[in-house]
Amino acid sequence: MIRAHTAAAVRDAEAPLLAAGEPLMDRAAFALATQVAAELRGRGHRVSGSVVLLLVGGGNNGGDALFAGTHLARRGCQVHAAVLGERPHAAGLAAARAAGVRVHDVLAAPDVPGAVVALARAAGVWVDGLTGIGARGPLREPLDRVVGALAAEKAASPDEPVVVAVDVPSGIGVDDGAVPGPVLPADVTVTMGTAKPGLLLPPADTLAGRVEVVDLGLDGALAAAAPAVCRLAAADVADLWPVPGPADQKYTRGVLGVVAGSQAFPGAAVLAVAGAVGAGLGMVRYRGPEVPTGLVHARHPEVVTAPGRVQAWVIGSGIDPDDAARTQAMEESLSAALAARLPAVLDAGGLSLVHDDGHLDLPATVVLTPHAGELATLLTARGEEVGRAEV
């Protein structure tokens, strides 16, 4: 499982280690350089001779990039550093120059974005060290224009170069996953100590690429801080997925009740049932009118339409809330689920059941799956005036 902690929690965890003289930046820079080398080899390039561009802002992220550049230069890379921070990390800059990194003061150029893009076109890897976990809000001038130009350049040739972000892609909301302005999308984000919420939360998570967490020794300090966001990885899902054993039968494997589909939208019933059957459930009970029932049985004759025991519900897909008979079936099924504290998923028409105060305090066993328009309608019905575009 990937656990993400807020910027404040990370700073609190780092503080005692830094006070004790722990070389956190050295560890971060070495891991970053190692990842860049791995990305080059993974794409069939030799590390020695490859051209790497460091995008260097102020602060520690820029320092991480500069120290990583020193490691790469010593391994034979041709490393260029475009310095875009007014106060770049002094020790990192000195180390980079001593290792042979070519430092470019692009802020002095008449066309800053153009100067950076010219350097970028010659490089196979861009290391994004422009901003870190201390950044708030959209990027400011000139970084906004630089990142916008680089993002356009990357979009024109998505496979090359490789973009490696230091800690977070520059421009994302570190703690909330917001995208308030231009962002340089990463192919891989090397994040230090722990993942950051913005790497796991939409919409910024789509801009982070593959997330690699570098162990800086913060685990002990972070143990007391509850993670802000958790995400299951593929291995976690595999561990949690129930595998039937010799003693299992339909009730131990789970019986799902499905209230979905209608005369107008019969496909919703077929899709919901197909998903349930494919998940390996012990039994699926379908409750619906004649047309979707016939289609469901044609595809999945093992589905049961007689009433009986149900251990979880899926309610609402493909149902018009104005259909009185189907709404009554949804209401009865949700009431049964709530009375027995059974898991229930409310989708589409089923969301209309929680528009008023009839189900004000839903338990955590109920999951809502609205699209943007449905969520706007639901929130507005509950007193929050929200439009589809805002969602």
Side-chain angles (χ1 to χ4, degrees):
M1 180 178 292
I2 302 178
R3 294 174 173 83
H5 294 80
T6 64
V10 172
R11 284 192 289 267
D12 289 345
E14 289 177 339
L17 298 177
L18 292 170
E22 292 288 337
L24 300 186
M25 184 171 285
D26 290 347
R27 295 173 192 166
F30 182 78
L32 177 60
T34 300
Q35 188 63 53
V36 170
E39 291 298 314
L40 286 167
R41 288 193 298 268
R43 286 165 169 76
H45 303 305
R46 291 171 57 89
V47 176
S48 179
S50 290
V51 181
V52 176
L53 174 64
L54 311 177
L55 301 168
V56 181
N60 290 338
N61 264 45
D64 290 342
L66 288 165
F67 279 117
T70 67
H71 291 294
L72 293 167
R74 289 167 184 157
R75 296 185 64 173
C77 288
Q78 299 178 43
V79 182
H80 296 258
V83 178
L84 287 148
E86 294 182 359
R87 293 183 294 277
H89 194 278
L93 197 60
R97 284 195 168 109
V101 174
R102 302 174 195 178
V103 177
H104 304 266
D105 182 13
V106 291
L107 288 177
D111 177 10
V112 176
V116 177
V117 168
L119 292 169
R121 285 175 176 161
V125 178
W126 304 346
V127 178
D128 174 11
L130 292 174
T131 64
I133 63 174
R136 294 291 181 273
L139 297 173
R140 291 185 281 274
E141 169 70 21
L143 293 188
D144 56 347
R145 291 190 296 122
V146 169
V147 165
L150 288 172
E153 188 75 13
K154 171 68 174 174
S157 180
D159 294 330
E160 295 285 348
V162 182
V163 179
V164 179
V166 184
D167 224 7
V168 293
S170 294
I172 72 164
V174 177
D175 285 342
D176 61 8
V179 181
V183 174
L184 180 57
D187 296 293
V188 57
T189 297
V190 183
T191 192
M192 309 307 174
T194 180
K196 313 307 181 292
L199 302 177
L200 306 184
L201 293 172
D205 64 329
T206 62
L207 302 172
R210 189 178 78 255
V211 176
E212 299 285 348
V213 181
V214 175
D215 182 4
L216 295 183
L218 303 184
D219 288 353
L222 287 172
V229 181
C230 296
R231 176 191 282 176
L232 294 177
D236 300 310
V237 176
D239 288 342
L240 292 168
W241 198 267
V243 178
D248 279 308
Q249 32 84 6
K250 60 188 175 186
Y251 294 116
T252 61
R253 292 176 64 178
V255 180
L256 180 73
V258 177
V259 184
S262 58
Q263 302 289 123
F265 302 106
V270 177
L271 288 173
V273 167
V277 171
L281 301 180
M283 180 192 294
V284 178
R285 292 189 188 276
Y286 175 69
R287 183 177 181 182
E290 182 178 350
V291 170
T293 299
L295 292 173
V296 165
H297 270 157
R299 294 289 297 273
H300 301 285
E302 70 272 33
V303 170
V304 176
T305 55
R309 181 178 178 184
V310 170
Q311 295 160 307
W313 289 92
V314 170
I315 301 168
S317 304
I319 295 179
D320 184 347
D322 293 332
D323 184 331
R326 298 299 280 143
T327 297
Q328 181 180 351
M330 292 193 298
E331 179 68 57
E332 290 171 356
S333 300
L334 178 59
S335 296
L338 293 175
R341 292 194 63 82
L342 297 177
V345 175
L346 297 185
D347 182 50
L351 297 166
S352 65
L353 301 177
V354 295
H355 279 190
D356 56 32
D357 290 344
H359 296 298
L360 181 61
D361 296 317
L362 292 174
T365 50
V366 179
V367 177
L368 310 182
T369 60
H371 60 53
E374 290 166 346
L375 182 53
T377 300
L378 176 59
L379 292 173
T380 299
R382 303 306 292 267
E384 295 285 344
E385 291 291 336
V386 177
R388 182 190 190 97
E390 291 175 87
V391 173

